[in-house]
Amino acid sequence: MTLALGCIADDYTGASDLANTLTRAGLRTVQTIGIPADDIALPEVDAVVVSLKSRSIEAGLAVSRARAADKWLRGRGAGHVLFKICSTFDSTDAGNIGPVMDALRADCGEGAVLVTPAFPETGRTVYQGNLFVGAVPLNESPLKDHPLNPMHDSNLVRVLARQSRTQIGLVDLATVTRGADAVRARLAELAGQGIGAAIIDAVFDRDLETIGLVAAEHLLSVGASGIGLGLARALVSTGKVKSAAAGGDTSAAVGGAAACLAGSCSQATLKQIAKAEKVMPVLHLDPDRILTGAGESQRALDWAKQRLTDGPVLIASSATPDQVAALQARHGRDAAGHAIEQAMADIAEGLVKSGVRRLVVAGGETSGAVVDRLRIPGFLVGVEIAAGVPVLRAVGAGGDMLLALKSGNFGGPEFFSNALGLMR
Ligand code: ADP
C-alpha cells in the first residue's frame, strides 16, 4: 500500500470529521484509533487518518506521539502529512500545535509549512491571519471561555509564534486569490527569509483548493478539515488519486445480527429512540441497577439474545434531563457516566459474541467506550447516514463488522432506521 496522504489528528472526533471529508472528496480513507500496530491488515486506501488524543496533553508527549504516527505514515509511502488540528485552533501558549509542527517539520526537512484552520462550510474563515468563528473574531466567540484552551487572541500569526520555535509569516487573501503560482512564490520568499511556517488566509472553498494544490507539493501542512478538503481535491484533480465512489469498499454486505445502543441523553437521541420504538423492540436500562451492580448488563443481553434472530433491537440508558440530574445526585456525575459507559461496553461485547455484526451507537463518550472495548484498531469510512455520520467498516479486526457512531445531537428522527437501512 502506498498512501497518497497521511493525517495525524489531535482528537478522535476531529479525526472522524476529517476522514469523512476526505471520503466525500473521493479518497478511500481509513481512520485508525491510535498509532496502528505494524502488522495491521489494511485494505487498499489512499489516506489514513491516525487518531490521537493529544490536544490537551503535555506538549512533549503530544510531540512524541505525533512523531511516531508520522513515521508510521511515511513508512507506508505518505508523501504528504497533514497535522489535523481543531478549526478553532484550540491550544495554549505551551502548545500543542507549535511544538508538534516544529518537530514534524524538522523530521521531514520542510521549508515553510502552510497552516490554516479555515473551514468555510462550518463558518471558520481566516483573513489577514485572523480567525473568525461565524461573524465574530475567535477571541469574541465562545472559545474565549473554553475550559481547557481559552482563546484570547484571534491573530494566528501571533498565537502560533508564541508556541513555535520558528518565525511565522502570513500568506494573505490577495495572494491566494491570484492563484497557486502566487502562493508558491510567496512561500518560497518566506522560506528564503528563514521563516518556517505561514498562516494562510482562506474565506471560500476555492481558496482551500488553491491552498491544497500548493500544499500537496510539500511534505507537511497543518490545519483542519478544510485544508484536508483542499488536499483531497488537489490529489484527485492532479491524477495522483483516482476518485473513488464514496463508500465503494464499505457497501458490501456483512450480514449477521443488528443492534443499536444509546447512551446519549440528548434531545435528538431521545426523539430517535421514540421513533425506533415503533419499528423495533426497545429495552430501557435501569441506571440505578447499573450503578448498584445488579446484573443489568446481563439482563439486557439475555433480553437481546431472545430477539436478535427476528431483527434489530435497541438498548438505551438514555433519560430525560430531570432523570439524569436525579441519578447524578444519587451517585455523583462522573461515577454515573463512567458506570453506564462501561455497562454499554459490556453489552456491546456480549452482543458481538452473540453474532451482532452491525452495531449503531448513539453518544460520543459511549461510542469511545464501545470502540475501545471491542478493540477495533480502525475504520474504513463509507457513505454518510446523516451529516457527519458515516457508515464505518472495522478493519484489522477479526471478522467483518459495520458500525455507525454518532454524537448525541446528530441525525434526524429516523436515524436508527436510516442507519440500519444502509448497513446490510
Ligand atoms: P453525547 O454525544 O450526547 O454527549 P455521550 O455518550 O458523549 O453522549 O455522553 C452521555 C453521558 O451520559 C455518558 O457518560 C453516559 O454514560 C451518560 N448517561 C447515559 N445514560 C444516563 C442516565 N440515564 N443518567 C445519567 N447519565 C447517563
Side-chain angles (χ1 to χ4, degrees), residues 138-327:
L138 178 66
N139 67 327
E140 293 174 26
S141 77
L143 271 295
K144 71 183 190 314
D145 303 317
H146 191 283
L148 300 175
N149 314 297
M151 301 303 291
H152 297 303
D153 188 353
S154 306
N155 186 310
L156 301 183
V157 177
R158 283 195 305 247
V159 172
L160 189 55
R162 287 195 290 266
Q163 300 177 21
S164 172
R165 286 196 306 268
T166 179
Q167 269 182 281
I168 310 297
L170 173 69
V171 183
D172 67 8
L173 191 65
T175 307
V176 176
T177 304
R178 286 205 301 279
D181 279 341
V183 174
R184 287 184 188 105
R186 173 71 179 144
L187 208 54
E189 183 189 342
L190 291 170
Q193 295 165 8
I195 292 174
I199 301 294
I200 183 160
D201 286 349
V203 173
F204 299 106
D205 274 5
R206 65 169 180 269
D207 303 327
L208 295 174
E209 289 178 5
T210 304
I211 294 168
L213 273 175
V214 180
E217 298 160 3
H218 286 255
L219 297 163
L220 176 68
S221 58
V222 177
S225 290
I227 193 168
L229 180 70
L231 281 161
R233 289 194 181 159
L235 291 169
V236 170
S237 72
T238 56
K240 288 186 186 139
V241 167
K242 204 166 128 304
S243 176
D249 287 348
T250 52
S251 53
V254 299
C260 307
L261 294 175
S264 164
C265 299
S266 67
Q267 286 301 320
T269 301
L270 293 175
K271 271 193 201 138
Q272 290 157 355
I273 295 168
K275 280 280 181 190
E277 307 248 18
K278 300 199 168 65
V279 291
M280 67 183 89
V282 175
L283 176 70
H284 292 275
L285 296 169
D286 179 338
D288 273 308
R289 284 176 55 100
I290 294 176
L291 268 297
T292 53
E296 188 66 352
S297 305
Q298 193 54 50
R299 182 178 79 92
L301 279 170
D302 294 342
W303 174 90
K305 279 183 208 163
Q306 287 164 20
R307 292 166 176 80
L308 281 173
T309 45
D310 299 333
V313 300
L314 167 61
I315 298 171
S317 68
S318 316
T320 60
D322 286 351
Q323 292 166 321
V324 170
L327 189 85

Side-chain angles (χ1 to χ4, degrees), residues 7 9 11-25 29 31 49 51 55 82 84-88 117-119 121-122 124 223-229 381 384 387-390 392 405 407 410:
C7 306
D11 85 335
Y12 282 16
T13 47
S16 308
D17 175 19
L18 174 62
N20 191 43
T21 300
L22 298 178
T23 303
R24 273 169 40 213
T29 305
Q31 174 189 355
V49 181
S51 334
R55 185 169 296 166
L82 165 64
K84 157 73 173 71
I85 57 166
C86 186
S87 64
T88 45
F119 196 16
E121 74 177 58
T122 58
R124 280 24 163 197
S225 290
I227 193 168
L229 180 70
V381 180
E384 253 185 337
V389 192
L392 302 169
L405 309 174
S407 48
F410 282 33

Side-chain angles (χ1 to χ4, degrees), residues 11-13 53 262-265 337-338 340-342 344-345 361-373 405-408:
D11 85 335
Y12 282 16
T13 47
K53 270 187 198 153
S264 164
C265 299
H338 182 74
I340 295 173
E341 284 162 32
Q342 289 311 307
M344 286 304 206
V361 188
E365 294 299 328
T366 308
S367 297
V370 166
V371 167
D372 283 347
R373 177 67 66 83
L405 309 174
K406 85 168 189 93
S407 48

Side-chain angles (χ1 to χ4, degrees), residues 1 3 19 23 28-37 39-51 72 249-251 254 357 371 374-382 391-403 405:
M1 177 178 60
L3 296 176
T23 303
R28 296 167 303 172
T29 305
V30 161
Q31 174 189 355
T32 69
I33 307 299
I35 301 160
D39 60 356
I40 187 175
L42 289 184
E44 196 58 34
V45 287
D46 306 304
V48 169
V49 181
V50 175
S51 334
W72 190 92
D249 287 348
T250 52
S251 53
V254 299
R357 292 289 171 269
V371 167
L374 296 180
R375 296 180 180 281
I376 296 174
F379 305 109
L380 189 59
V381 180
V391 174
L392 302 169
R393 179 179 289 262
V395 295
D400 259 348
M401 183 164 180
L402 295 180
L403 291 105
L405 309 174

